[in-house]
Amino acid sequence: MTATTEAPSTHTDDSTDILARARTQVLENGQPLGYDDLVEVLRTGDDRLEELLQLAHDVRLRYNGDEVEVEGIVSLKTGGCPEDCHFCSQSGQFTSPVRSVWLNIPQLVRAAKQTRETGASEFCIVAAVRGPDEKLMTQMREAVKAIHAEVDIQVAASLGMLTQEQVDDLRDMGVHRYNHNLEAAKSYFPDVVTTHSYEERFQTCQMIRESGMELCCGGLVGMGETLEQRAELASQLAELDPHEVPLNFLNPRPGTPFENIEPMESNDALRTIAAFRLALPRTILRYAGGRELTLGDLGTRDGLMGGINAVIVGNYLTTLGRDPKEDLSLLSDLNMPIKALNATL
C-alpha cells in the first residue's frame, strides 16, 4: 500500500522550508536534491502540492526547455519471460493471461511507421526475456536495418540484461538508446524480484552508459514501497545519471503477486513526479505505464505541468494506454511543442 502523507508544518524560515531550499538548490543553482531532502519533499502535504508542482515545472523549463519528447513502443517478444518480477504479467511463472508471442520484421517496420505518424521521434523494441540469445540479437539486427531503411525514426531497445559483447553489438547496429529499469530501490528490490539481483541490473546500466548509447533507466512506484524507498530509488537513478527516466505507476495485473495492491493515490503520484524532477533536473522524465489508471486525464495534465517532459503514446506492453490523439491534443492545449527528430540526432 502507498505510504500516508504527513501534514506539513508551518515554516517561516527559508532554511527549514524544503520547497524554499529546493528552489535555491535546484532551480537557481542547478544542483539536484539528495535523499534526505527528497524524503521531505515526498512528505509535503496536499496544501503545498500546487507550489511543489510549479517549482518542478520551473526546473523542467529552465534545464530542459518546453519541448516534449514523444515515443512509441512495441513488444518484439511478449510473455513467457523466465523472471519473476512481481508486477509483470509477462512472467511465465505466474497465472496471468499473457503468453509468448513473437513479431516478424514486416510487423515491426509497420509499427515503426505508425509510431512516426504520431509525431514520435523514437521507437522502442521490447522483448520479455532475461537477456537476449543469438536468435533475438539476429532479429534485432535485421529489424533495426529494415526500420532505418524505411522510417525516419530513432530506434531504441529493451532486451533485458546484457553482456559487454551484446552492448557493443547493439551500439554498432544503430540502437540509439537502451532501456533497462532499476525497477525498485535497492532496499526494496528483493520484495519485487527474486530471480536476479539489483546489482545485475545496475551493471547492465553501467555498461550501456559507458558504451556511448543513451541510457534509459527508470522504475515503478506504488508497489508497496515506503516514501523513503521512493526517495532512495530517485537517488540511485541520479547516481547512474541516465539520459531518460521512465516513471511507471503500478497497474495491478491479474495473476501476479501484486494483483491486490491498491493503485497509488493521484496526489502521491504527482508528488513523486515532482520529487524525481528535483532529483534529476536535467534528465528526460517520461510518463510511462500506469498513468491512465493512477492519474486520469486531469492528473496527466498536472504531471505535464509538474516536471514531466516526455510521454509514451499509444499502448504499453500488456496494458492499454490513451489514444495517441488525446495525448497530442493535450500537448497542443498546453502549448508544449513536440521535440523534432532532427533535434534528437
Side-chain angles (χ1 to χ4, degrees), residues 291-292 312-316 319-324 326-327:
R291 63 183 167 103
E292 296 81 8
I312 294 174
V313 294
N315 296 331
Y316 304 106
T319 57
L320 297 176
R322 287 155 55 97
D323 185 322
E326 294 180 17
D327 280 327

Side-chain angles (χ1 to χ4, degrees), residues 252-266:
R253 308 314 301 153
T256 66
F258 286 170
E259 66 178 335
N260 294 320
I261 293 179
E262 288 295 322
M264 197 174 183
E265 293 291 333
S266 293

Side-chain angles (χ1 to χ4, degrees), residues 179 181 183 218-223 225 233 245-251 264 272 276 286-291 294 312 316:
N179 167 251
N181 291 337
E183 306 299 15
L220 280 90
V221 292
M223 296 189 293
E225 75 282 350
L233 174 59
V245 170
L247 189 54
N248 298 271
F249 305 93
L250 179 67
N251 183 344
M264 197 174 183
T272 301
F276 272 58
R286 188 181 298 276
Y287 261 149
R291 63 183 167 103
T294 302
I312 294 174
Y316 304 106

Side-chain angles (χ1 to χ4, degrees), residues 195-230:
T195 49
H196 61 266
S197 68
Y198 174 92
E199 287 77 14
E200 287 176 284
R201 299 192 75 88
F202 199 89
Q203 182 180 25
T204 290
C205 292
Q206 286 179 313
M207 288 191 292
I208 292 295
R209 194 78 177 84
E210 294 166 3
S211 73
M213 281 187 288
E214 292 182 354
L215 172 63
C216 171
C217 181
L220 280 90
V221 292
M223 296 189 293
E225 75 282 350
T226 64
L227 294 182
E228 290 78 9
Q229 285 165 329
R230 284 180 205 155

Side-chain angles (χ1 to χ4, degrees), residues 54-301:
Q54 183 61 56
L55 171 59
H57 184 60
D58 291 343
V59 169
R60 168 263 173 110
L61 290 177
R62 175 165 295 187
Y63 296 107
N64 293 275
D66 62 353
E67 291 184 322
V68 175
E69 187 180 277
V70 176
E71 177 187 43
I73 62 175
V74 68
S75 182
L76 169 60
K77 175 189 176 289
T78 303
C81 180
E83 305 305 289
D84 74 343
C85 304
H86 291 9
F87 54 83
C88 185
S89 58
Q90 299 202 61
S91 172
Q93 300 195 31
F94 308 143
T95 59
S96 43
V98 176
R99 287 297 169 259
S100 186
V101 177
W102 285 80
L103 294 184
N104 59 35
I105 303 302
Q107 289 171 319
L108 290 172
V109 172
R110 185 160 57 250
K113 288 179 178 178
Q114 292 170 346
T115 298
R116 186 70 186 104
E117 288 168 2
T118 69
S121 59
E122 183 166 300
F123 177 69
C124 187
I125 301 172
V126 183
V129 292
R130 177 184 174 89
D133 58 13
E134 187 51 41
K135 173 189 174 183
L136 179 53
M137 291 297 289
T138 298
Q139 191 167 16
M140 275 297 301
R141 197 173 296 110
E142 294 171 357
V144 173
K145 182 178 179 180
I147 291 168
H148 280 159
E150 296 193 40
V151 191
D152 186 20
I153 199 165
Q154 297 277 24
V155 178
S158 180
L159 313 174
M161 292 173 285
L162 302 174
T163 65
Q164 185 63 59
E165 182 180 2
Q166 290 168 334
V167 169
D168 296 341
D169 198 5
L170 288 165
R171 177 198 60 209
D172 294 344
M173 71 177 69
V175 171
H176 152 73
R177 185 181 293 172
Y178 193 83
N179 167 251
H180 194 58
N181 291 337
L182 291 183
E183 306 299 15
K186 185 176 182 179
S187 67
Y188 194 59
F189 192 88
D191 294 293
V192 179
V193 184
T194 68
T195 49
H196 61 266
S197 68
Y198 174 92
E199 287 77 14
E200 287 176 284
R201 299 192 75 88
F202 199 89
Q203 182 180 25
T204 290
C205 292
Q206 286 179 313
M207 288 191 292
I208 292 295
R209 194 78 177 84
E210 294 166 3
S211 73
M213 281 187 288
E214 292 182 354
L215 172 63
C216 171
C217 181
L220 280 90
V221 292
M223 296 189 293
E225 75 282 350
T226 64
L227 294 182
E228 290 78 9
Q229 285 165 329
R230 284 180 205 155
E232 180 190 349
L233 174 59
S235 297
Q236 288 162 349
L237 287 167
E239 179 185 347
L240 273 171
D241 190 25
H243 185 82
E244 173 188 339
V245 170
L247 189 54
N248 298 271
F249 305 93
L250 179 67
N251 183 344
R253 308 314 301 153
T256 66
F258 286 170
E259 66 178 335
N260 294 320
I261 293 179
E262 288 295 322
M264 197 174 183
E265 293 291 333
S266 293
N267 283 356
D268 282 339
L270 291 170
R271 260 184 293 274
T272 301
I273 290 168
F276 272 58
R277 172 51 68 203
L278 297 176
L280 299 147
R282 293 175 174 81
T283 300
I284 294 174
L285 186 58
R286 188 181 298 276
Y287 261 149
R291 63 183 167 103
E292 296 81 8
L293 175 67
T294 302
L295 291 164
D297 291 347
L298 183 59
T300 294
R301 176 184 292 262

